[in-house]
Amino acid sequence: MPNLTMPEPRAGRRIARWRAVGALTIAVMAAGTALAGVEPTARAANPPATSATSPARVTVDFGAEQGRLPRPERHNNFGNITAWPGQRAQDAAFLNEQGLHGDIYRVWLSSPNAPDEDDIFNQCDLVTRKCDFSRLDAYLTEAGTVSDSVLVNLNPMDFIEGKRPIKDLKPLVELILHRLKEQYPQVDYVEVFNESDWNYHGVQRRQGRPADQTTLRPDGLYRFYAPFYEAVNEVNKHVRRADRIRVGGPALMYMDPKWLKPFLDGYAADRNPRKRLDFLSYHAYLKWDDDYQKPTLYNQDLRVVASERATIRSWLKERRIRTGTPAFITETGIYPGPAFDDPDPKNDYIRQAAGLATYSYLYANQPDTYMFNWCIRHRVEERKDQLVTRTPNGPLTDTLSPYGNMLLMQSKMKDTRVSAIAHGHRQDDNGVYAIASKDRTGASLMVWNWQHTNATGHRAGIDMSRLPANLKRGPVRQRTFRIDQTTSNYFADPATADLQQVDQKIIYPGKTHTHRIDLSPNAIYLITLEPAR
């Protein structure tokens, strides 16, 4: 069992927020035990042996185009400002070198886990109209180096807690954003709140406080959002149209109708003709019962997220809000808080990689939906690291975890999505998944076997039809890359931590091509076909 002792808060005003984190720690650990049916410490430290291999089949039709391939690897998170700051500049350079430059990176400018002096709300003065962002400068600069756009998370904690008057919120946010946009022009998005439904309500309900006596209730959330869009509108008056800031939220702990529907009600009832909600945001790890006593982790069946867009669209339509309003899932993972499957994390790293590939697939099938990965290096939870961080010699500057290598695979995919269907037996969400694409440089296919803690392997036959014209006449170079328990996995062999190409051959496919792969539990394959001439 991981250590449940929480570190000392950096300042007295943060004690309640640390207690919220501690409550989540205990709740998630309890849920993990209950849902698995065994004590975590009783689980095997080694993965279960692969059971008898089951047949599977993947059919790819490169002539059936499905639009641009979603690029979840280009939507990512830095941890907060305290998360491995000495590594960030090197990390940004390395990710760019690897082809993992982002479209949008999310950063935290008012995190409950950072010192008060790092809270951006304490760095601007309404009287002098001055801001001092020196403590945030490297953080914001590095985010702008690794991504085209930066999304800043602004969490008005002191205003929600009643420590500052709400009348100061709009002018303070306007000042903050005006100065941010001047100094860091890649700040293009503002996300308001971060899990306020948990921090100011859920944790208090869990501790026995009545619903009508919590710090924040669902019908009170929107009033803290409105000052942000009003401030953004003022700032955008002084910015070129192409560079204007977009604003959204409310970054809920999950897509909870008890909170999101009242938030949308508040927006729908807002009579301001210049109101704006450029995106909705929430996280995807788990959900709670109504009393916040029992969490249900999504890793028990990731398909729980598969219909989110249809639900959101219906809620928007009911309120006559633009149904194309994008959804940003700004944190995603199979391990909420300190959750784990095995106490020794080495087996959970490959599960994280396959789980996030599955999330990516499920969200890619939903329009106007953008999944953000979480995160480059986590402050304390190693299973979420995309770069290898916790070694006897400290963090490594140029080594991806299995999760990071999965993102690298995604970055090697071609640009136009085509039909790819995985056939074969699935148990709940566990089984074979596939996504394929093409462009003028060739074709690509990712196939993986999401099993979580199960042990089913698959021998998959792959049938490719209507190959792109530039691949029909050969010769074609076929490359195969693999991530599994022993391959492209620092925690099995540091010498082969990089994404491993396990096969390369010259083929002459004609209009069709067949291939076969063996998929151990949670193994991930990338196959690329490119002209060899």
Side-chain angles (χ1 to χ4, degrees):
M1 180 76 75
N3 181 4
L4 299 186
T5 302
M6 299 307 299
E8 286 298 316
R10 297 181 182 270
R13 62 193 293 274
R14 297 289 193 237
I15 289 175
R17 296 164 199 156
W18 283 106
R19 286 176 179 160
V21 176
L24 177 61
T25 297
I26 294 167
V28 167
M29 295 307 302
T33 301
L35 291 170
V38 296
E39 288 290 335
T41 51
R43 294 181 183 160
N46 296 311
T50 303
S51 62
T53 300
S54 299
R57 180 167 164 257
V58 175
T59 57
V60 183
D61 182 352
F62 285 101
E65 296 186 0
Q66 298 180 342
R68 289 190 63 81
L69 181 74
R71 291 292 189 179
E73 77 279 7
R74 297 180 185 172
H75 296 83
N76 214 333
N77 274 268
F78 272 135
N80 74 25
I81 192 170
T82 69
W84 310 98
Q87 295 295 131
R88 274 197 300 265
Q90 296 174 79
D91 291 347
F94 174 70
L95 293 169
N96 284 336
E97 290 168 3
Q98 294 295 303
L100 286 170
H101 186 82
D103 289 340
I104 308 174
Y105 260 59
R106 178 175 179 247
V107 298
W108 305 63
L109 302 189
S110 47
S111 168
N113 298 323
D116 286 354
E117 55 267 29
D118 288 333
D119 186 336
I120 198 167
F121 287 98
N122 297 326
Q123 296 176 351
C124 291
D125 190 315
L126 282 173
V127 176
T128 64
R129 304 291 300 171
K130 292 181 179 180
C131 296
D132 179 1
F133 297 147
S134 57
R135 295 182 63 89
L136 297 172
D137 180 66
Y139 186 47
L140 288 163
T141 299
E142 288 145 9
T145 299
V146 77
S147 185
D148 292 341
S149 294
V150 175
L151 181 154
V152 296
N153 179 274
L154 297 181
N155 193 9
M157 298 176 287
D158 283 351
F159 294 91
I160 293 173
E161 293 171 9
K163 295 175 180 176
R164 291 189 182 186
I166 195 168
K167 68 179 179 62
D168 287 347
L169 184 53
K170 177 195 169 184
L172 184 55
V173 172
E174 182 181 340
L175 176 60
I176 288 169
L177 294 180
H178 183 71
R179 298 290 184 259
L180 275 178
K181 194 66 175 175
E182 284 180 338
Q183 297 179 44
Y184 310 98
Q186 286 164 289
V187 172
D188 292 329
Y189 298 86
V190 174
E191 181 186 42
V192 187
F193 309 115
N194 185 65
E195 297 186 350
S196 295
D197 51 328
W198 168 253
N199 291 315
Y200 297 113
H201 184 85
V203 67
Q204 296 169 15
R205 293 285 292 119
R206 183 171 176 79
Q207 294 167 349
R209 188 177 299 185
D212 61 355
Q213 295 180 24
T214 57
T215 301
L216 186 66
R217 292 175 287 283
D219 60 0
L221 187 61
Y222 183 77
R223 77 185 187 102
F224 294 102
Y225 173 79
F228 281 84
Y229 83 66
E230 293 169 351
V232 166
N233 283 338
E234 293 302 317
V235 172
N236 282 344
K237 290 178 182 178
H238 309 285
V239 178
R240 293 188 314 158
R241 180 178 293 274
D243 297 328
R244 288 178 181 170
I245 296 172
R246 282 158 277 189
V247 61
L252 298 175
M253 195 178 208
Y254 69 103
M255 198 192 83
D256 184 354
K258 298 189 303 296
W259 284 83
L260 194 50
K261 290 171 77 172
F263 179 80
L264 293 173
D265 288 339
Y267 182 77
D270 189 338
R271 303 297 294 273
N272 187 338
R274 299 182 66 227
K275 67 182 180 183
R276 58 188 305 158
L277 180 62
D278 297 312
F279 60 90
L280 287 167
S281 68
Y282 56 91
H283 300 163
Y285 299 105
L286 81 174
K287 61 182 179 181
W288 290 92
D289 66 345
D290 287 346
D291 295 326
Y292 294 88
Q293 299 303 306
K294 181 181 178 182
T296 300
L297 277 61
Y298 286 177
N299 63 24
Q300 302 304 301
D301 191 335
L302 296 180
R303 294 173 304 175
V304 69
V305 307
S307 60
E308 285 180 351
R309 185 65 208 180
T311 301
I312 287 174
R313 182 180 174 85
S314 70
W315 292 347
L316 294 170
K317 185 176 181 180
E318 288 169 3
R319 292 160 179 80
R320 299 185 179 181
I321 302 171
R322 183 170 64 93
T323 55
T325 301
F328 287 5
I329 297 84
T330 48
E331 291 182 31
T332 316
I334 66 169
Y335 296 121
F340 59 81
D341 288 310
D342 285 354
D344 182 343
K346 67 181 181 181
N347 301 319
D348 290 349
Y349 287 117
I350 188 67
R351 293 167 181 147
Q352 169 81 351
L356 269 293
T358 307
Y359 267 125
S360 298
Y361 173 85
L362 295 169
Y363 281 122
N365 293 336
Q366 302 177 65
D368 304 312
T369 302
Y370 300 87
M371 186 198 104
F372 284 62
N373 286 279
W374 173 250
C375 63
I376 301 301
R377 296 186 194 270
H378 196 276
R379 190 173 54 90
V380 292
E381 303 299 343
E382 57 197 296
R383 289 163 178 80
K384 304 171 186 181
D385 294 337
Q386 296 163 17
L387 286 161
V388 174
T389 302
R390 288 146 243 269
T391 77
N393 298 317
L396 304 183
T397 60
D398 58 357
T399 305
L400 294 167
S401 69
Y403 176 17
N405 277 325
M406 186 277 292
L407 299 180
L408 186 58
M409 274 188 176
Q410 291 180 330
S411 75
K412 295 180 181 294
M413 294 284 287
K414 308 305 181 181
D415 289 334
T416 300
R417 188 177 182 182
V418 300
S419 173
I421 302 173
H423 310 266
H425 175 70
R426 276 192 190 161
Q427 183 175 350
D428 299 323
D429 62 330
N430 298 141
V432 176
Y433 292 79
I435 191 165
S437 59
K438 68 177 183 180
D439 60 23
R440 61 181 179 81
T441 69
S444 59
L445 170 67
M446 277 184 70
V447 183
W448 64 98
N449 178 24
W450 165 238
Q451 288 295 324
H452 192 200
T453 58
N454 295 327
T456 303
H458 290 280
R459 173 160 289 180
I462 300 171
D463 299 323
M464 307 181 198
S465 64
R466 294 203 286 175
L467 269 70
N470 61 345
L471 300 179
K472 292 178 182 178
R473 291 178 291 276
V476 171
R477 179 174 287 106
Q478 176 180 290
R479 292 187 174 96
T480 304
F481 303 82
R482 185 173 74 232
I483 305 167
D484 62 21
Q485 195 65 35
T486 61
T487 311
S488 309
N489 189 339
Y490 171 89
F491 306 98
D493 183 359
T496 57
D498 295 342
L499 180 61
Q500 297 294 301
Q501 179 178 296
V502 296
D503 187 49
Q504 176 176 282
K505 62 180 71 173
I506 300 298
I507 61 172
Y508 295 82
K511 293 182 180 180
T512 63
H513 178 52
T514 60
H515 190 54
R516 191 175 300 279
I517 57 175
D518 289 320
L519 289 156
S520 59
N522 300 308
I524 310 170
Y525 277 77
L526 168 67
I527 300 167
T528 63
L529 302 174
E530 298 171 335
R533 293 185 293 275

